Amino acid sequence: MAHRYSLAQLTVLGWAPPEMIYNAHTLGYDCVGIRSITMGVKGENDYDIYRNREMFDLTRRAMDETGVVINDIELAKIADGVDVRNYEGPFEAAAELGVKNVISSIWTDKKDFYLDQFATLCDLAKQYGITVNLEFVTWASIRTLKETREVLDTVKRDNAGIMVDTLHLYRSRVDPAELDDCPKELFHMAHICDGPAEIPDWDDKESLIHTGRDERYYVGEGAIDIADIVRRLPDDVVLSIELPHLKREGSWGSMEHAKRCLSTAKDYMVENGIL
């Protein structure tokens, strides 16, 4: 089975969901991932399709007219001062559009708290037929595959999965062979991009965040063995291209940048014998 390709919101942060869907269709993407739960990061807009019913209707129309589906929403973060039950509205809207995945990550060191919140999040999402894909992020509290497995093994929810981002896996110094020890049913999607060979220290969050949010590389352009990672994942995993590069997007325009994201990824996969 050939992989499907998705366009992640962070790649084109300025595109609202309807525009994103129409443009993704033009460029040849199969699906998109939208940020209907805002994080308040630099350059992020409010794409809350639950509260903004006009945007919801336009998004549904774009899906109907193009056949492009929404693979996932983000970001259902777990953090101090955040009640995950507040994500029910976005889950309800996503379910109305047929969305099956939400991305989550953990930003607090309070273990009992984040385990309880993650379990509650999974239970809430299950009511809407949604899988919670826990992402380990290099500058977050849960930042390795081992730590992510510990969360899933503790909460034991059948709609919990693991979201691998190739940049975070590389920069968190995770051996791709660790993926072989994970049940394949835990993987539903992956974020792909490339990056430089050098890895900043754990405490150099400014450098980690800069590359992650502003200057990721096209697939095959950097030092990450993306093919080795993808080969260890199920054949039906959706490959979501999360590849913000503010300088290139500013110089070439968002449309050209998103086009190159897809073409370089597909060329790389063909060169490495991956469909």
Side-chain angles (χ1 to χ4, degrees), residues 216-230:
R216 300 189 184 206
Y217 291 6
Y218 293 134
V219 173
E221 184 182 17
I224 303 172
D225 191 345
I226 297 168
D228 184 42
I229 298 169
V230 172

Side-chain angles (χ1 to χ4, degrees), residues 118-182:
F118 187 74
T120 300
L121 181 67
C122 291
D123 293 343
L124 182 65
K126 188 170 184 177
Q127 298 177 44
Y128 296 94
I130 293 174
T131 295
V132 180
N133 300 275
L134 183 58
E135 178 181 18
F136 51 97
V137 178
T138 315
W139 60 88
S141 298
I142 297 299
R143 58 190 186 184
T144 68
L145 179 58
K146 180 181 179 182
E147 292 170 345
T148 305
R149 281 293 307 276
E150 289 176 352
V151 173
L152 268 61
D153 291 344
T154 301
V155 302
K156 294 180 170 60
R157 295 305 195 268
D158 60 10
N159 66 323
I162 298 173
M163 220 288 295
V164 172
D165 182 301
T166 55
L167 180 69
H168 295 319
L169 185 145
Y170 177 77
R171 289 192 150 195
S172 290
R173 298 171 176 83
V174 174
D175 185 340
E178 291 182 38
L179 295 168
D180 298 337
D181 296 326
C182 299

Side-chain angles (χ1 to χ4, degrees), residues 32-232:
V32 299
I34 66 172
R35 281 203 167 200
S36 59
I37 306 171
T38 59
M39 273 194 70
V41 302
K42 178 182 64 177
E44 185 179 36
N45 297 309
D46 184 359
Y47 299 139
D48 186 346
I49 57 174
Y50 174 70
R51 290 187 173 86
N52 188 337
R53 299 308 292 183
E54 180 182 8
M55 184 178 290
F56 176 92
D57 291 340
L58 291 172
T59 299
R60 179 159 55 187
R61 180 185 301 174
M63 294 173 66
D64 291 342
E65 291 180 355
T66 64
V68 172
V69 300
I70 300 174
N71 178 72
D72 56 276
I73 64 168
E74 60 175 342
L75 175 71
K77 69 178 179 179
I78 295 172
D80 294 331
V82 175
D83 184 348
V84 298
R85 291 173 295 184
N86 293 330
Y87 299 138
E88 183 164 10
F91 288 177
E92 179 182 331
E96 286 187 61
L97 297 176
V99 181
K100 299 298 183 184
N101 294 284
V102 63
I103 300 172
S104 179
S105 50
I106 295 175
W107 302 82
T108 173
D109 295 325
K110 299 174 183 176
K111 188 171 184 178
D112 290 343
F113 172 75
Y114 70 64
L115 289 174
D116 177 72
Q117 286 284 283
F118 187 74
T120 300
L121 181 67
C122 291
D123 293 343
L124 182 65
K126 188 170 184 177
Q127 298 177 44
Y128 296 94
I130 293 174
T131 295
V132 180
N133 300 275
L134 183 58
E135 178 181 18
F136 51 97
V137 178
T138 315
W139 60 88
S141 298
I142 297 299
R143 58 190 186 184
T144 68
L145 179 58
K146 180 181 179 182
E147 292 170 345
T148 305
R149 281 293 307 276
E150 289 176 352
V151 173
L152 268 61
D153 291 344
T154 301
V155 302
K156 294 180 170 60
R157 295 305 195 268
D158 60 10
N159 66 323
I162 298 173
M163 220 288 295
V164 172
D165 182 301
T166 55
L167 180 69
H168 295 319
L169 185 145
Y170 177 77
R171 289 192 150 195
S172 290
R173 298 171 176 83
V174 174
D175 185 340
E178 291 182 38
L179 295 168
D180 298 337
D181 296 326
C182 299
K184 297 306 180 189
E185 60 267 21
L186 293 179
F187 301 106
H188 306 92
M189 60 178 294
H191 278 163
I192 60 171
C193 70
D194 218 328
E198 62 273 14
I199 300 176
D201 293 334
W202 287 117
D203 57 357
D204 187 5
K205 289 192 175 183
E206 183 177 350
S207 296
L208 293 169
I209 292 171
H210 172 74
T211 302
R213 291 182 179 165
D214 298 346
E215 200 172 354
R216 300 189 184 206
Y217 291 6
Y218 293 134
V219 173
E221 184 182 17
I224 303 172
D225 191 345
I226 297 168
D228 184 42
I229 298 169
V230 172
R231 288 194 188 102
R232 297 175 188 274

Side-chain angles (χ1 to χ4, degrees), residues 3-7 30-32 71-72 101 163-164 187-192 233-241:
H3 289 285
R4 291 186 298 147
Y5 288 87
S6 181
L7 177 61
D30 302 294
C31 44
V32 299
N71 178 72
D72 56 276
N101 294 284
M163 220 288 295
V164 172
F187 301 106
H188 306 92
M189 60 178 294
H191 278 163
I192 60 171
L233 300 175
D235 292 339
D236 60 350
V237 160
V238 171
L239 300 180
S240 178
I241 303 177

